[in-house]
Amino acid sequence: MRNAWRWLGLAGAVGVAAGGVLVARDQRQRNAYSADDVRERLHRRHEEAQARDAADPPS
């Protein structure tokens, strides 16, 4: 039984490390955009959302 707890603890530590890697990678990708890039993407997404709303008005 003691060995099972060791494996469970090891699996938990690996999971926490993997989560940290994913968070760090995501943060690096977000920081790679300049303010102008972010603004342009937001404007484009807003225009796409407006186009979807105009094409499918609420009932």
Side-chain angles (χ1 to χ4, degrees), residues 11-50:
V14 169
V16 168
V21 168
L22 292 176
V23 168
R25 185 182 68 176
D26 185 50
Q27 186 66 30
R28 265 196 316 272
Q29 287 176 345
R30 273 187 271 144
N31 289 340
Y33 295 116
S34 70
D36 291 332
D37 291 338
V38 172
R39 187 176 304 110
E40 187 270 328
R41 287 172 53 123
L42 287 173
H43 284 292
R44 186 177 25 169
R45 287 175 58 191
H46 179 67
E47 290 168 0
E48 290 170 358
Q50 284 183 329

